[in-house]
Amino acid sequence: MTSSSLQNLRVAIVGAGPAGIYAGNILTNSVVESGGTVAIDLFESLPAPYGLIRYGVAPDHPRIKGIVNSLHEMLDAGTTRFIGNVEVGRDISIDELQERYDAVILATGAIRDAALDIPGIDLEGSYGAADFVAWFDGHPDVPTEWTLDQREVAVIGNGNVALDVARVLAKHAVDLRSTEIADNVLAGLEASAVTDVHVFGRRGPADIKFTPIELRELGEVPNVDIVVHDEDFAYLEGLVPSNNQLKVMLRILQSWRTRESTGASRRLHLHFYHSPVEVLGDGKVEGLRFERTEPTGEGSAVRGTGEFREIAVQQVYRAVGYYGTPVIDAPFDEKAGVVSNVEGRVKDAAVTGDTEAPVIAGLYATGWIKRGPVGLIGHTKSDAMETIAHLVSDVEGGRLSAPTVDGDVLDLLEEREVAFTTWDGWLALDAHERELGANHLHTRERVKVVPRDEQVAISRGALVP
């Protein structure tokens, strides 16, 4: 069996979000700089590319979605072939990919909610933030309707996802009409009965995981009052912010303490030092029970004070982190929620980081499925660089085997009657969504097509825009 080389290298990447696209771009540049050539196939379970940038960023954040422009350029360069609407593990196995490619990179991300193990968390009216985000971002695999018939809502978490969920819940639908929000989502938000959104964090104001821009934007939402509580700021006396970002965020929070109520029809309450212990209710959510916490004096650690409080709410959204989705036939660390790996080389082990376990030759991981759901886009790039460096080193060191099956993988998918989509198909869907936006009653950049079958039909030319 001939070893792989940087000449005519063939690589499959599973996942067309930023992690997968960046990995493909970095690999292409690395191989070309070394005088080699590479052909990359980018497999995606959804009909459209961009992953969480398309289905995980709130529709009122077009600035963040601007990163799509650079991702578009990478895919439009022609060195990476996009193959959408293909579920690896169902439509084609990892083994079948490894037979056809020198290397396979898993970049499937983390799309499920991390668990919050407290009594009552499964009551009717208790949701994972990821499901709500998928709904308001028009994900094709979630129900098209979301019930917002309650006045008081809680969001548990102090990260950007919690802030996105709270802002969308508190914001008036009229202020979302100019975004790319799907029509079914806009209709759901227009019918919302929400008046008060409560955001709870276990730690204090100095330990929030928001970004300054998102926090500042929160205070600029029209006809929404921000409510903070003086007791949550007592531990800030004498605190010297460790960096400028924290300094800015604390200044924003402090300014809200003295801001007068405008009598807005909706309110967004920020609560700190509240650790959830139980969701209350008889069959459905009726409230939350918290233990008040305090700093231990050791970094950001907190401890319970023994003081318990109950707050009436009728819906709960937990935004305590994401959890990776296992890839069929790839070793998965259930505790960490990642593919078992060491620096991106997938290990045949149940625990990631097990340096004694053997490497699965030619199988790699990058992004959140590699390191867990932490870090921003910049981390994704550096993460991909580490994985690609190991891949190239393995090729140059003769540690990989050449493909054993010839032929185009598209022929296999055609034979199995998989309705895969392509880059040209995405361009057709993209143009269709932009046309819907231009012709909409409320002119916007695009209106997302939500149903999967419609996306596939437009992408494959069966449904002419």
Side-chain angles (χ1 to χ4, degrees), residues 55 69 85 137 237 285 353 361 380 383 461:
Y55 292 118
N69 294 333
N85 202 42
D137 269 329
E237 299 297 332
V285 174
T380 300
D383 194 46

Side-chain angles (χ1 to χ4, degrees), residues 18-24 26-27 105 365-367 370-371 378-390:
I21 297 174
Y22 284 136
I26 292 169
L27 175 61
I105 304 173
T366 190
K370 167 189 173 183
R371 71 179 189 275
H379 297 91
T380 300
K381 291 181 179 179
S382 59
D383 194 46
M385 291 178 67
E386 178 184 64
T387 296
I388 296 306
H390 284 313

